Amino acid sequence: MNFSTSIGSFLLRLLVLHHLWICLCSSFILDGSPTSFAQFPRWLAGLNGTLSLQFRTREPNGLLLYTDDGGTYDFFEVKLVEGNARLRFNLGGGTAILSAGKNLHDSQWHTLKITRNAEETILTVDADVQKRLTAGPDYLFGNATTNSAVLIGGLPSWYGSKLSLLALPSAFFEPRFRGAVKDVVFASDDGIQKAQELQESQGIRTASLHPQYTPNGEEVLAADDHCEKDNPCLNGGACISTDGGPICDCRATDYEGDLCEQSESFAGSDSVFLASLTVYRLAKGKKIV
């Protein structure tokens, strides 16, 4: 294999991995394990921002969404409580609660949306719309420099030793959401809806948008779901199922290698060309052969 062929092969692999990761971001399944979460960019809600997503689950309880101002007092927390969606939030005037939807753990897709309108906050779940007026110093939600990321399904483990960074520390101890999520979309004061890309995650896999179920309510997995059959990825690496087998994406870990098995600090030399090695380490994932 000559130099140009090697470069082309690794670039193609990187493009395939990037495409698969975008697909993963649009629809994914959280396994509900004690460390599972999906992290999206900060939501700059301003006075008139919106945040929406779709979810599907069979579990009646679990933390669906959390974001705050970095530990002062503003926060939004959405969790399922006995099949209902409950939004708990604070914009500086004290904690308020909105509840919407019923029996949302029916394995069907549901749309959840949070809308800011100055002192009014609106929770919409499918066709159920609930509103609440709250007092506050300015009704703004945090700011662009201190706000946390938007966390779906749970909070990263490192928050366990830094609870002071949370405006609502109890969110860390909530049961994790187990189910599928897709179409995470934010809008700021400008009103422009923007689909958000996944930044970091743990305990997720790709999702089928048209699942089938057994008579007992268990999801029937596709025959080519290699990750579900035998997930080979180690140390928190994300498994992506492809027609040719599983790919381990190590970008959210401190490991590399085919299976995310090798610590970056002790990584040995590779036998590929330097330019190819650079591309590989940017992707931090290789197809398993």
Side-chain angles (χ1 to χ4, degrees), residues 1 6 9-18 20-21 227 231-234 237-242 244-251 253 255-262 267-273 276-289:
M1 181 182 293
S6 177
S9 175
F10 274 88
L11 285 174
L12 178 60
R13 182 171 293 172
L14 177 58
L15 289 173
V16 170
L17 182 62
H18 178 68
L20 289 170
W21 190 251
C227 292
N231 182 350
C233 304
L234 305 174
C239 185
I240 304 173
S241 185
T242 74
I247 290 177
C248 293
D249 184 351
C250 314
R251 288 179 294 181
T253 74
Y255 294 83
E256 60 185 12
D258 289 356
L259 308 179
C260 309
E261 78 282 3
Q262 188 174 31
S269 60
D270 292 90
S271 59
V272 297
F273 294 102
S276 300
L277 178 61
T278 301
V279 173
Y280 165 73
R281 284 185 171 165
L282 284 173
K284 295 179 71 178
K286 292 178 66 179
K287 183 176 179 180
I288 299 169
V289 295

Side-chain angles (χ1 to χ4, degrees), residues 8-288:
S9 175
F10 274 88
L11 285 174
L12 178 60
R13 182 171 293 172
L14 177 58
L15 289 173
V16 170
L17 182 62
H18 178 68
H19 171 73
L20 289 170
W21 190 251
I22 290 175
C23 292
L24 179 64
C25 292
S26 63
S27 178
F28 57 90
I29 291 176
L30 287 144
D31 63 16
S33 61
T35 58
S36 62
F37 73 94
Q39 177 178 313
F40 287 82
R42 292 169 173 161
W43 176 36
L44 306 180
L47 289 174
N48 299 288
T50 62
L51 183 157
S52 65
L53 57 81
Q54 295 188 54
F55 68 93
R56 176 172 61 83
T57 184
R58 295 194 299 269
E59 302 296 329
N61 301 293
L63 180 66
L64 183 57
L65 180 150
Y66 180 81
T67 185
D68 68 20
D69 62 358
T72 306
Y73 48 69
D74 291 353
F75 67 84
F76 285 95
E77 178 201 57
V78 178
K79 62 181 181 179
L80 295 184
V81 180
E82 298 303 322
N84 301 332
R86 190 181 81 173
L87 168 63
R88 183 162 50 158
F89 64 100
N90 187 353
L91 296 173
T95 300
I97 294 176
L98 287 169
S99 295
K102 293 182 179 180
N103 300 318
L104 301 175
H105 56 304
D106 58 359
S107 298
Q108 302 299 312
W109 285 108
H110 298 281
T111 300
L112 181 144
K113 184 176 183 179
I114 301 171
T115 303
R116 296 289 334 283
N117 184 19
E119 71 272 20
E120 183 179 55
T121 298
I122 305 169
L123 173 65
T124 304
V125 178
D126 300 328
D128 189 357
V129 181
Q130 301 294 326
K131 303 178 181 181
R132 180 74 181 265
L133 294 175
T134 57
D138 54 18
Y139 309 116
L140 289 171
F141 172 60
N143 60 69
T145 58
T146 64
N147 282 6
S148 74
V150 171
L151 300 166
I152 305 293
L155 277 63
S157 298
W158 60 263
Y159 271 116
S161 60
K162 297 182 179 180
L163 294 176
S164 62
L165 296 180
L166 296 172
L168 184 67
S170 63
F172 178 78
F173 302 99
E174 294 289 347
R176 310 269 166 153
F177 173 82
R178 182 184 180 191
V181 175
K182 65 177 180 177
D183 299 339
V184 179
V185 177
F186 304 166
S188 300
D189 275 336
D190 57 14
I192 300 175
Q193 301 283 329
K194 296 180 181 179
Q196 303 298 312
E197 290 194 11
L198 186 65
Q199 292 181 324
E200 296 183 29
S201 66
Q202 188 162 332
I204 72 171
R205 63 178 176 85
T206 52
S208 171
L209 297 183
H210 303 287
Q212 296 179 332
Y213 297 93
T214 68
N216 295 327
E218 295 296 322
E219 184 176 342
V220 177
L221 298 169
D224 59 352
D225 192 341
H226 304 285
C227 292
E228 185 64 24
K229 290 179 180 178
D230 184 19
N231 182 350
C233 304
L234 305 174
N235 300 307
C239 185
I240 304 173
S241 185
T242 74
D243 291 340
I247 290 177
C248 293
D249 184 351
C250 314
R251 288 179 294 181
T253 74
D254 294 324
Y255 294 83
E256 60 185 12
D258 289 356
L259 308 179
C260 309
E261 78 282 3
Q262 188 174 31
S263 174
E264 290 181 337
S265 58
F266 295 100
S269 60
D270 292 90
S271 59
V272 297
F273 294 102
L274 179 60
S276 300
L277 178 61
T278 301
V279 173
Y280 165 73
R281 284 185 171 165
L282 284 173
K284 295 179 71 178
K286 292 178 66 179
K287 183 176 179 180
I288 299 169

